[in-house]
Amino acid sequence: MPELPEVETTLRGIRPHLEGRRIERLLVRETRLRLPIPSEMADRVGGQSILGLSRRSKYLLIQLERGTLLVHLGMSGSLRVVPAESPPKRHDHLDLILTDGRCLRFHDPRRFGIFLWTPDTPDTLKVEHRLLRDLGPEPLDPEFDGDHLYRSSRKRRVAVKSFIMDATVVVGVGNIYANESLFLAGILPASPCNAIGLERYRRLVEAIRALLLASIEEGGTTLRDFVREDGRPGYFAQSLRVYGRTGEPCKVCGAPIHQVRIGQRSSFFCDRCQH
């Protein structure tokens, strides 16, 4: 699944090509996405100007003159800005066709993405929409800090890895980044979250923020289904320290990397560097 850096990379890639442009029409080839596309959506969207693009967690928000397009890439989705006349490929489910001759093309082999119009502004969506209203802070925002994690963990006993992957605690820390940030902070992923002290949580927040920023700059982690908006893959996976490296030597101490299941997700760690 594309994680937050991949979504942020997509946002930065498509924003210059969409902001200030006018939509000619919406062409839908497949309505059966995670949330079905209603037949009247094309009429709602056509003729509108695009005022701005933003992100909340892994959701992209495309603000129109009237309403907002809510987009989620799902398990395998991607967005491209291409000439409107370019032939669609298999799994190119819809085109947001612009009056300048280009289109925003939504590609999603597994059809678990979302592409919907809502009548609300982005600010209203963030506090009222059922998919967004209960989300925790953004990991790159100042309000996300060690004190927040410390306070939120005191009455919980789940593994710290599951805790930081809980979107009501903080958004966008997916499995890859949870494993990597816990390694950088020297914390075992199975440690009970209420046993982690304030200073260690502060180090963990620094690790999460640094890792996400570095990954955004490098174009996102290379996953099986993800490529950048310009068609080139990200390369951050080449510098992963523990994720997917079971049995390989730790890049810090040389001990073998271990793998366990935590919350039904693969978890990787070095039992020398993490405690």
Side-chain angles (χ1 to χ4, degrees), residues 1-273:
M1 177 181 291
E3 298 202 42
L4 185 144
E6 284 79 26
V7 180
E8 179 67 22
T9 299
T10 296
L11 172 65
R12 295 183 182 189
I14 66 176
R15 178 189 275 149
H17 304 287
L18 296 183
E19 283 187 342
R21 306 304 198 280
R22 184 171 292 277
I23 300 167
E24 180 180 299
R25 62 191 177 99
L26 176 67
L27 172 62
V28 180
R29 302 183 187 89
E30 175 58 79
T31 63
R32 297 171 299 169
L33 302 181
R34 175 182 164 190
L35 299 178
I37 297 176
S39 57
E40 67 272 14
M41 194 169 97
D43 292 334
R44 304 278 192 186
V45 169
Q48 291 209 56
S49 291
I50 299 173
L51 303 183
L53 284 81
S54 58
R55 179 187 57 75
R56 180 68 172 107
S57 184
K58 298 179 186 179
Y59 293 90
L60 293 172
L61 307 175
I62 304 176
Q63 184 178 6
L64 308 179
E65 294 171 291
R66 298 177 301 281
T68 304
L69 289 168
L70 180 66
V71 182
H72 193 285
L73 300 179
M75 298 293 292
S76 61
S78 62
L79 293 167
R80 302 285 179 276
V81 177
V82 299
E85 69 274 9
S86 61
K89 299 177 182 178
R90 188 183 181 192
H91 307 305
D92 284 347
H93 298 316
L94 63 82
D95 288 351
L96 191 67
I97 300 175
L98 309 176
T99 57
D100 66 2
R102 295 180 297 174
C103 72
L104 179 68
R105 182 162 287 172
F106 184 65
H107 178 86
D108 187 10
R110 300 183 195 176
R111 298 209 314 268
F112 204 66
I114 296 172
F115 204 107
L116 288 178
W117 177 86
T118 76
D120 298 313
T121 65
D123 287 342
T124 300
L125 279 179
K126 291 174 184 178
V127 296
E128 294 185 2
H129 196 281
R130 63 183 180 84
L131 295 174
L132 306 180
R133 64 191 175 204
D134 296 323
L135 294 175
E138 292 283 336
L140 302 180
D141 285 355
E143 64 187 276
F144 174 63
D145 56 18
D147 297 66
H148 166 74
L149 289 183
Y150 181 78
R151 289 192 306 268
S152 302
S153 65
R154 292 307 87 187
K155 296 182 179 180
R156 303 182 62 173
R157 299 184 64 182
V158 298
V160 64
K161 178 169 175 278
S162 299
F163 174 65
I164 63 173
M165 290 181 65
D166 183 343
T168 66
V169 175
V170 57
V171 301
V173 183
N175 196 37
I176 293 176
Y177 298 97
N179 279 286
E180 292 293 305
S181 61
L182 286 166
F183 174 78
L184 290 177
I187 300 172
L188 282 170
S191 301
C193 66
N194 63 354
I196 307 298
L198 177 58
E199 289 305 316
R200 299 189 81 196
Y201 269 130
R202 286 174 175 168
R203 288 199 298 272
L204 179 57
V205 166
E206 291 176 0
I208 290 171
R209 188 170 284 130
L211 194 66
L212 291 175
L213 286 171
S215 188
I216 290 168
E217 290 305 311
E218 294 194 41
T221 305
T222 300
L223 303 175
R224 285 192 302 272
D225 295 315
F226 181 78
V227 289
R228 287 170 56 169
E229 79 290 336
D230 57 6
R232 294 182 289 120
Y235 296 104
F236 193 75
Q238 295 180 7
S239 57
L240 293 176
R241 297 164 179 84
V242 291
Y243 183 86
R245 300 188 62 244
T246 306
E248 297 180 28
C250 172
K251 295 181 179 181
V252 174
C253 73
I257 299 299
H258 298 281
Q259 178 180 355
V260 296
R261 301 285 288 184
I262 299 175
Q264 307 304 313
R265 305 297 297 273
S266 295
S267 304
F268 306 86
F269 62 94
C270 171
D271 59 6
R272 287 188 190 174
C273 295

